[in-house]
Structures are given as structure tokens and as C-alpha cells.
Amino acid sequence: MKKNFLFFLILLIQPLFCQEKAQKNIILIIGDGMGVPQITAGMYKLKNQTALENFPIIGLSKTHSSNALITDSAAAGTAIACGEKTANGTLGISMRNQKLTSILELSKQKGYKTGIIATSTIVHATPAAFYANVISRNQYEDIALQLVNSDVDYFIGGGRKFFISRKDKRNLMKEMSDYDFVNSIKKFDESESNKIGYFTSSEDPYPIRNGRIPKLSLAVEKMLPKLSNTNNPYFLLVEASQIDWGGHKNDIDYVLSEFIDMNEAINKVLEFTKNDKNTIVIVTGDHETGGLAIISGRIRNFQMKTEFSTIGHSAAMIPVFAKGPHSEIFSGIYDNTDIFKKMFFVLNN
Ligand code: MG
Ligand code: ZN
């Protein structure tokens, strides 16, 4: 009798000790063209504070590509998404011409739900690095075709035309019959499908200062419940794409407005994951754009005078912010390819 009781007791409490380690959710936020100067200027614009101050771990990444000291977003996206340096312009293909597997695809193999949000087209270099393999980032229609059979469950971004007005006359939105296509963030929120596509525009989405909808924070707010509503873990990529475009235009107000849109999205993510010990949030950039410097200013109202030194990218190291389980491995100075390797560690531990 006593023996029986003990047996049942052990059976009852056994799951408490033998539980498999819970898989970690990964939220990766990339500010395209965001280096320390963009963060600094954005912080002063926000009266000397930014969401990035909430991250306990900071590292620096070396961004050069395999063939250029100054990377482009395709090679940098490939390094972060797939863990290999490749030539500028190339997406998801190595120097030895091999197709690479992205962290999003690897997470899918482990049963993750996946999502991508971008403020560019969904076929633009940075988001495409997570699901496509093409020699040239400009093969937008080929990239669109690769999204059809990709591992992306939910996506929000521009570029509808690459799916429906194509040289091959195919209508990919029709072919993607497993997706519920919605045309507003409200409909996205209401959809109960486990695959949802929301094209926010036919071509490039507007800059936020010209009224782009939805705000990145709203897209994140509606995406996260979809990803987290089952027992499956999730991987989410959020790209603030247009910080880079403001840099190329040497337009500081464009840069700052896009930074603020991203900053609000980071706050939303931190709010959502506040009591969640199972989610790591990583924020980084792919490279710096514009060679931005703050050259004078005043403490009063944190006014700034800024200057750009190029209309292209620069080779500056880029900060990596991390918060959550295993975040400590993101401290130090390392290659951008190590961001992939560190996420891969999180995926497996
Ligand atoms: Mg980009
Ligand atoms: Zn750029």
C-alpha cells in the first residue's frame, strides 16, 4: 500500500523534473542602415531616450562581405540569416555557389511558427535573405516565386505587384491558396488562418512621414498573438527597412522618423514579452548608411546638427542588442555571420 502510494507520487511529480527544455522564441529586429550614429540621433530626437536602453547585452558586428569592405543589404542579410559571408548583391547563395539554409528555415524544421514584417517590399534584400536563394537581389519576381513554397507562415510587407503583374503571367496570390490574403491590419487581426499574407502596398511602401500604414508597432502587436497562440515556438523577423533609404537620401528627418517607428515597435515587443522568460529579442542593423555624424548641438531640447559623408553605406561596426534567454552570448565583437550562429545556438538550447 505504502509502496503504491510512493509510486503514484513519483508518477505525479515526475513531469516537473523530466520536462524537456522549452524551445525559445526568437524575435530579430533589423534596422537597415542603422549604426551607432542613427541610434544616437534617434535617441536625442526622442529627448535622450530609446527603447534600446532596455537591453542588458550589447555586442558589435563586423559587416564586411566576402568581396567588399562595405557590404550591401543582400550580403549582410545573407550573413545574418544564413551564417555565411557572400558577395554583394547575392542572396542566400554562398561564394562556392551553394544554396544556404536560413535561420527561419531551420526554425521551421524544429516546429517553429514563422513571421516576417518589413517596411519595404517583402521581396527586398533583407527579408528575402530569410527565405530566398538568388544570385541577384534584383530578381524580384524570382524571389516572389520562392516565397510561394517558403516556410513563412505570416507576412506583412509591400510588393504585391511582384506576385500578380509578372512577366510569366502567373498569379502567385491565386497559387498561394493556403494563405488568407488580407488588405488591412484589422483583417489580418481577424483572420483565423494559420497562413496569412498582407501586402501593404503594390510597390514600395511609403515612408512613415508620408502616412505609411500600418505603423510597425501595430504590425508587431497584431503579429505576435498569431505566432504565440499555440504551443509551438516562433521566429519573427521585423525589418525597419527605410532607415537605410533616408540615409541614401542624406535626409536626416527621413532617418529619424523611420527610427522612431522602429523604436515604438521595439517598445511593443518588450511590452509583449515582459513576463516571458522564453523569448529572446535581438536588435541589430545590417550596416550603417550615410556615414552620419552629429557635428554640433545643444543640451537644451537636444537639438542637433548632422552631416552625412556619403550617399552609400559605410564600413562601421554595428551594435547588436540582446535581451532574454542566452542573450549573454551576444556580447563581444564578432562577424555578422556569428549573429546566425548565436541564433542557431538559441534554437538548439
Ligand atoms: Mg533592407
Ligand atoms: Zn542601402
Side-chain angles (χ1 to χ4, degrees), residues 144-207:
L145 199 52
Q146 293 185 20
L147 185 67
V148 174
N149 294 311
S150 75
D151 290 323
V152 183
D153 296 325
Y154 306 97
F155 66 86
I156 300 175
R160 190 192 305 107
K161 72 168 184 182
F162 299 109
F163 293 76
I164 56 171
S165 13
R166 301 166 52 83
K167 284 199 196 83
D168 63 12
K169 306 283 182 223
R170 288 168 70 170
N171 182 330
L172 301 187
M173 285 174 73
K174 278 217 176 102
E175 292 182 31
M176 295 168 85
S177 54
D178 45 344
Y179 283 82
D180 182 12
F181 281 103
V182 297
N183 54 17
S184 72
I185 195 67
K186 186 167 177 284
K187 295 237 172 76
F188 181 91
D189 188 33
E190 286 165 0
S191 173
E192 282 173 9
S193 175
N194 51 19
K195 285 193 165 206
I196 312 173
Y198 170 21
F199 286 117
T200 55
S201 59
S202 177
E203 306 197 16
D204 287 336
Y206 291 124

Side-chain angles (χ1 to χ4, degrees), residues 230-297:
T230 64
N231 285 328
N232 299 54
Y234 63 86
F235 174 87
L236 171 64
L237 168 72
V238 179
E239 192 207 10
S241 320
Q242 298 197 29
I243 297 172
D244 175 66
W245 302 359
H248 284 294
K249 287 197 152 71
N250 283 190
D251 182 336
I252 188 64
D253 291 330
Y254 190 174
V255 170
L256 292 173
S257 56
E258 296 296 336
F259 177 87
I260 290 168
D261 187 48
M262 182 201 65
N263 195 73
E264 288 171 0
I266 296 170
N267 276 327
K268 190 57 75 179
V269 165
L270 293 179
E271 191 185 307
F272 189 86
T273 56
K274 199 170 158 194
N275 300 313
D276 174 358
K277 302 240 178 311
N278 216 32
T279 302
I280 181 167
V281 184
I282 305 152
V283 184
T284 190
D286 54 351
H287 52 72
E288 196 272 347
T289 305
L292 178 64
I294 300 167
I295 52 169
S296 70

Side-chain angles (χ1 to χ4, degrees), residues 293-326:
I294 300 167
I295 52 169
S296 70
R298 284 193 203 163
I299 297 291
R300 203 181 125 87
N301 289 330
F302 298 99
Q303 289 171 304
M304 300 170 276
K305 186 163 183 279
T306 57
E307 217 166 78
F308 291 92
S309 56
T310 173
I311 57 163
H313 302 164
S314 80
M317 285 198 287
I318 298 298
V320 182
F321 302 85
K323 186 179 201 294
H326 300 308

Side-chain angles (χ1 to χ4, degrees), residues 70-91:
I70 296 177
T71 190
D72 81 323
S73 290
T78 302
I80 296 170
C82 307
E84 280 209 40
K85 300 237 186 212
T86 192
N88 280 8
T90 307
L91 276 176

